[in-house]
Amino acid sequence: MAVTLIVNPGSSSKKYALYVDKVLTLSAYVEKAENGGYVFCASVRGVDSLPGIPVSAAEYHESLDTFLSVAVEKKLLAEKVMVTTIALRIVAPGSYFQRHRVVDVEFVRELEAMIGSAPLHIPHVISELQAIQRLLPKVRTVAISDSAFHRTMPDMARQFSIPAETQGRYDLYRFGYHGLSVASVVRRLHAVTGEMPKRAIVCHIGSGVSVTALRSGLSIDTTMGYAPGSGLMMGTRAGDLDTGALLALMQARNLKPLDAQAFLQTQGGLRAIASEADLRLILDRRTKGDKEAILAVDTFVYQIQKAIGSYLVALGGIDQIIFTATASERSPILRSLICVPLEAIGVTLDTDKNEMCLGRDGVISTFTSPIKVVVMKADEAGEILALAEQVGVE
Amino acid sequence: MAVTLIVNPGSSSKKYALYVDKVLTLSAYVEKAENGGYVFCASVRGVDSLPGIPVSAAEYHESLDTFLSVAVEKKLLAEKVMVTTIALRIVAPGSYFQRHRVVDVEFVRELEAMIGSAPLHIPHVISELQAIQRLLPKVRTVAISDSAFHRTMPDMARQFSIPAETQGRYDLYRFGYHGLSVASVVRRLHAVTGEMPKRAIVCHIGSGVSVTALRSGLSIDTTMGYAPGSGLMMGTRAGDLDTGALLALMQARNLKPLDAQAFLQTQGGLRAIASEADLRLILDRRTKGDKEAILAVDTFVYQIQKAIGSYLVALGGIDQIIFTATASERSPILRSLICVPLEAIGVTLDTDKNEMCLGRDGVISTFTSPIKVVVMKADEAGEILALAEQVGVE
């Protein structure tokens, strides 16, 4: 019996999934609750939701134990040690992390060295690795890269225009992220739309935001570059800021690189403009005429639209635009704000279809729209499951 | 008699022009010669070229004196002190520099404080101001801003997604540059094409590179942001680099902000990929199959194309694309590399027209191309002349 435990520590929440012989038996997410603590929400076989369990900030690092206990309690697993493979999603810059790998001592050392570049992501991964070491020390653990999908990017998109020697020595390349999310979309695209488009654009809009250009399902460019804070503005991440402005700020405030990085990743984005990072709340404020919310949403939408335009040219046309990740899946208003002005390039949204597509896969453009617009749930867990078996075997 | 002297110190060359009652009488440029020194090339009334005068690196800062001496020698000016107004082009970040101003002690102080952010530009301006002080200390001198044209950019393009308080306190905004070049194009566009397009994109491609989106002739967005090294890759400037990569590099090499800025502005761009900054030479190497040259040109062209795509969406369509500045004006190959893949968005280049348009204004798209493609000489001097009279009067 193959029992795979999937651990997906995100920047603002984490997810677990348990597969027995490739069948999902238990899944859970832990996210911030309104009282400042967290809430642990599990569901059996993806359908039966269990009552939420409050988790204090101090207990947050013990969520894995909670998850395994629920699995045993619900008789989905005879004992915790029945797990045969653990697969972790890894978000970290570096050529080393652009491959899926077996977790060993070297891996942990490489990961710790990268904390400064992904301060929102790596500390959570290390915390989960410690929990695994404590609870299931003998289980084979693999690291599934969130960047590996973008290895097909050509040099003109992957490299910076700084000397090759500098890029090589310090391993500075545009690695890209959200690769598992985009790969999960590509894998199911034919099943949902009946087509495998030659030229597609995937907009991943969650607490992280990126836009990826796909040629026949392979990544040719993506907005996130070296670190997961780059590219478009996000919940708390500033996205690209021109280097002159950053350097002027560092000089004026005497900021060290790590401080600057933390500032850009936690105090930027929607939070910087609208004083909060939750797009749902900001969209609500926008409808009431709140000026900060209007500017935040305008800027957020504008940056996504510009990325779509740039990839339209890179691909020489667009067959499909696919929206994925939480905000994409749940917000018809957001999709409409992005798509309606894209009429000039061949997008015609179907208002009814758009409003009825909530938290499920579907096409939201009109029957005659030259560019098809699709909403798809990101299935990072399914993607990780498929990849976990191959790691170390290839 | 109004005698206006225009001084335009660029990042890698400088230009002078003398207008008597708005008529160009003498113009000159000083640029790098093949022997490592410089050459001073003047022409009378824009047509009669005088023999080039070699200038050593040590004499470079005395070019203004050479220019005025030639004017007197050729009897275009009775005496050097006959100059009534001096107008300097200013490229510097800051809200202060986004307005045209009379040069005074405060101005020089503000300028010196900005050297770190525009190390390729400001030292040359200061050097010219010193020459003016030495040669024509009593003449009214005005500073014509290269950013003022972009004051019409909306907040969503002008602001970064970092806290408003931080942006305000440190004056960190996307100011944009090449404003005089773009304004000179807008001013003459109707004369050249018989139209004033609602939606136009100007590609300024010289040693600096930027793409600007114009709605009814007003700037709504541009690729250069805070400092003139930002946006697209250029001759020696890296353009945008994601902040994570920059901060990782600074940490690894223990670089201070000013060192990092100098590195990105002098060791990046075409020079970083192809070991030299001169696009003409790189285009030659490319045709011989040189791999570095191929990658450099591919990347250079790709970034310009992506900017055009992003503004296509921002404008809701494009009526005209205008190419201006040296490389645009002189290289049909470059224009063809950029435009041919734009067929997908409605650009059809006319091969003959493109090849015949060298160093002059003209339309290079086919008669039926949905998007008109135009080549126009940048006339920064003419623009500065027009603006110089208004400064201090408004």
Side-chain angles (χ1 to χ4, degrees):
Chain A
M1 195 175 66
V3 179
T4 307
L5 168 66
I6 289 170
V7 180
N8 184 350
S11 54
S12 66
S13 63
K14 55 188 170 185
K15 296 175 198 151
Y16 300 98
L18 190 72
Y19 287 82
V20 177
D21 288 336
K22 298 197 183 174
V23 176
L24 178 65
T25 57
L26 185 69
S27 55
Y29 60 89
V30 192
E31 65 177 15
K32 279 225 165 90
E34 286 180 7
N35 64 10
Y38 292 85
V39 59
F40 176 100
C41 303
S43 81
V44 176
R45 290 177 201 92
V47 283
D48 297 338
S49 294
L50 304 176
I53 303 172
V55 173
S56 71
E59 296 163 334
Y60 185 66
H61 68 283
E62 290 167 17
S63 320
L64 177 59
D65 199 11
T66 309
F67 182 76
L68 291 169
S69 301
V70 170
V72 172
E73 193 182 303
K74 294 286 165 190
K75 300 197 174 19
L76 303 166
L77 204 59
E79 291 179 84
K80 293 178 186 176
V81 293
M82 297 286 286
V83 172
T84 51
T85 300
I86 301 169
L88 255 114
R89 170 170 169 255
I90 299 293
V91 175
S95 299
Y96 182 86
F97 296 105
Q98 207 170 19
R99 296 193 171 272
H100 312 305
R101 295 184 176 274
V102 174
V103 173
D104 54 16
V105 175
E106 180 197 67
F107 182 89
V108 175
R109 204 169 44 224
E110 293 277 347
L111 194 61
E112 284 172 345
M114 276 297 161
I115 290 178
S117 292
L120 296 183
H121 294 87
I122 300 179
H124 298 299
V125 176
I126 290 173
S127 163
E128 292 303 305
L129 281 172
Q130 287 164 346
I132 291 166
Q133 186 58 30
R134 207 164 53 236
L135 297 165
L136 301 168
K138 293 181 182 167
V139 181
R140 172 176 178 269
T141 303
V142 296
I144 304 300
S145 163
D146 202 30
S147 300
F149 181 77
H150 297 294
R151 284 212 311 260
T152 49
M153 273 164 53
D155 283 346
M156 67 183 177
R158 176 177 167 82
Q159 295 190 11
F160 295 110
S161 57
I162 57 174
E165 195 267 339
T166 308
Q167 291 185 76
R169 183 185 303 176
Y170 303 107
D171 198 26
L172 302 174
Y173 297 99
R174 300 188 66 254
F175 300 111
Y177 297 90
H178 292 155
L180 295 164
S181 161
V182 178
S184 81
V185 163
V186 171
R187 182 167 43 86
R188 295 173 298 125
L189 202 49
H190 187 269
V192 172
T193 71
E195 290 167 17
M196 180 44 116
K198 281 230 171 73
R199 305 164 302 178
I201 291 176
V202 178
C203 303
H204 175 113
I205 314 177
S207 63
V209 178
S210 71
V211 175
T212 296
L214 301 172
R215 191 183 301 286
S216 302
L218 301 178
S219 173
I220 63 154
D221 206 344
T222 190
T223 54
M224 278 184 175
Y226 176 82
S230 60
L232 311 177
M233 66 178 279
M234 314 184 200
T236 68
R237 290 173 252 174
D240 288 339
L241 181 78
D242 78 56
T243 53
L246 171 62
L247 294 170
L249 176 65
M250 289 175 74
Q251 223 191 340
R253 293 230 309 228
N254 200 19
L255 287 178
K256 297 264 168 294
L258 288 182
D259 302 333
Q261 188 69 288
F263 173 75
L264 291 177
Q265 299 223 9
T266 61
Q267 303 303 315
L270 290 169
R271 170 174 290 168
I273 307 181
S275 315
E276 62 185 332
D278 190 326
L279 187 58
R280 282 170 298 183
L281 303 177
I282 298 170
L283 283 166
D284 281 350
R285 282 167 52 195
R286 176 183 166 278
T287 58
K288 291 169 194 147
D290 177 312
K291 280 190 182 164
E292 283 184 349
I294 292 171
L295 177 60
V297 173
D298 281 354
T299 311
F300 188 81
V301 165
Y302 183 59
Q303 293 192 1
I304 292 169
Q305 290 169 330
K306 287 208 293 182
I308 292 172
S310 68
Y311 293 150
L312 156 69
V313 167
L315 291 164
I318 306 175
D319 303 309
Q320 292 192 2
I321 296 174
I322 300 118
F323 285 95
T324 194
T326 335
S328 285
E329 294 161 18
R330 296 184 193 168
S331 176
I333 296 166
L334 176 67
R335 298 186 304 237
S336 162
L337 287 170
I338 295 169
C339 290
V340 170
L342 298 181
E343 185 127 31
I345 62 166
V347 169
T348 316
L349 214 60
D350 182 311
T351 312
D352 291 342
K353 283 192 210 159
N354 181 42
E355 282 176 11
M356 288 172 61
C357 190
L358 288 174
R360 59 171 181 78
D361 298 345
V363 174
I364 59 170
S365 47
T366 61
F367 192 74
T368 54
S369 176
I371 296 175
K372 197 173 275 188
V373 184
V374 185
V375 176
M376 285 181 67
K377 292 189 75 164
D379 180 22
E380 290 176 334
E383 197 60 31
I384 294 170
L385 179 73
L387 291 164
E389 293 171 15
Q390 303 161 19
V391 179
V393 180
E394 48 182 320
Chain B
M1 195 174 66
V3 179
T4 308
L5 167 67
I6 290 172
V7 180
N8 184 350
S11 55
S12 66
S13 63
K14 55 186 170 185
K15 296 175 199 150
Y16 299 98
L18 191 70
Y19 287 83
V20 176
D21 287 337
K22 298 196 183 174
V23 176
L24 178 65
T25 58
L26 185 70
S27 56
Y29 60 89
V30 193
E31 65 178 15
K32 278 224 166 88
E34 287 180 5
N35 64 9
Y38 291 85
V39 59
F40 177 99
C41 302
S43 81
V44 177
R45 288 178 202 91
V47 282
D48 297 339
S49 293
L50 304 176
I53 303 171
V55 173
S56 72
E59 296 164 334
Y60 185 65
H61 69 282
E62 291 167 17
S63 321
L64 177 60
D65 198 10
T66 309
F67 181 77
L68 292 169
S69 300
V70 170
V72 171
E73 194 181 302
K74 294 287 164 189
K75 301 197 173 16
L76 303 165
L77 204 59
E79 291 178 86
K80 293 178 186 176
V81 293
M82 296 286 285
V83 173
T84 51
T85 300
I86 302 170
L88 256 115
R89 171 170 168 253
I90 299 294
V91 175
S95 300
Y96 182 85
F97 295 105
Q98 208 170 15
R99 297 194 170 270
H100 312 306
R101 293 184 178 275
V102 174
V103 173
D104 54 15
V105 175
E106 179 197 70
F107 182 88
V108 175
R109 203 168 47 224
E110 294 277 346
L111 194 60
E112 284 172 344
M114 276 297 160
I115 289 179
S117 292
L120 297 184
H121 294 85
I122 298 178
H124 298 299
V125 177
I126 290 173
S127 163
E128 293 303 306
L129 281 172
Q130 287 164 347
I132 291 166
Q133 186 59 31
R134 208 164 50 235
L135 298 165
L136 301 168
K138 293 181 181 165
V139 181
R140 171 175 179 268
T141 303
V142 296
I144 303 299
S145 163
D146 203 30
S147 300
F149 181 76
H150 297 294
R151 283 211 312 260
T152 48
M153 273 165 53
D155 283 347
M156 66 183 178
R158 176 177 167 83
Q159 295 191 10
F160 296 110
S161 58
I162 57 174
E165 194 268 340
T166 308
Q167 292 186 75
R169 185 185 303 177
Y170 303 106
D171 197 24
L172 302 173
Y173 297 98
R174 300 188 66 255
F175 300 111
Y177 297 91
H178 291 156
L180 294 165
S181 161
V182 177
S184 81
V185 163
V186 171
R187 182 166 43 86
R188 294 172 301 126
L189 202 48
H190 187 269
V192 172
T193 71
E195 289 168 18
M196 180 45 115
K198 281 232 171 73
R199 306 162 302 177
I201 291 177
V202 178
C203 303
H204 175 113
I205 314 177
S207 63
V209 178
S210 71
V211 176
T212 297
L214 300 173
R215 191 183 301 285
S216 301
L218 300 180
S219 173
I220 65 155
D221 206 345
T222 190
T223 54
M224 278 184 174
Y226 176 80
S230 60
L232 311 178
M233 67 180 278
M234 316 187 198
T236 68
R237 291 173 251 174
D240 288 339
L241 180 80
D242 78 57
T243 53
L246 171 63
L247 294 170
L249 176 65
M250 289 175 74
Q251 224 190 340
R253 293 232 308 229
N254 200 20
L255 288 178
K256 296 267 169 294
L258 287 182
D259 302 334
Q261 188 68 289
F263 173 77
L264 291 177
Q265 299 222 10
T266 62
Q267 304 302 315
L270 290 169
R271 170 173 289 167
I273 307 181
S275 314
E276 63 185 333
D278 190 327
L279 187 59
R280 281 170 299 182
L281 302 177
I282 298 169
L283 283 166
D284 281 349
R285 283 166 54 195
R286 176 182 167 278
T287 59
K288 291 168 191 146
D290 177 312
K291 281 192 183 163
E292 283 184 348
I294 292 171
L295 178 60
V297 173
D298 281 354
T299 311
F300 187 80
V301 165
Y302 183 60
Q303 292 192 2
I304 293 169
Q305 289 169 331
K306 287 207 294 183
I308 292 172
S310 68
Y311 294 150
L312 156 68
V313 167
L315 290 165
I318 306 175
D319 303 307
Q320 293 192 2
I321 296 174
I322 300 117
F323 285 95
T324 193
T326 336
S328 285
E329 294 161 20
R330 296 184 193 167
S331 177
I333 297 167
L334 176 68
R335 297 186 306 235
S336 163
L337 288 169
I338 295 169
C339 289
V340 170
L342 298 182
E343 185 126 30
I345 62 165
V347 169
T348 315
L349 213 59
D350 182 311
T351 312
D352 292 341
K353 282 191 212 161
N354 182 40
E355 282 175 11
M356 288 171 60
C357 191
L358 288 174
R360 60 170 180 79
D361 299 345
V363 174
I364 60 170
S365 48
T366 61
F367 192 74
T368 55
S369 176
I371 296 175
K372 196 173 278 188
V373 184
V374 185
V375 176
M376 284 181 67
K377 293 190 74 165
D379 179 22
E380 290 176 334
E383 197 60 31
I384 294 170
L385 179 72
L387 291 163
E389 294 173 12
Q390 302 160 19
V391 180
V393 180
E394 50 182 319

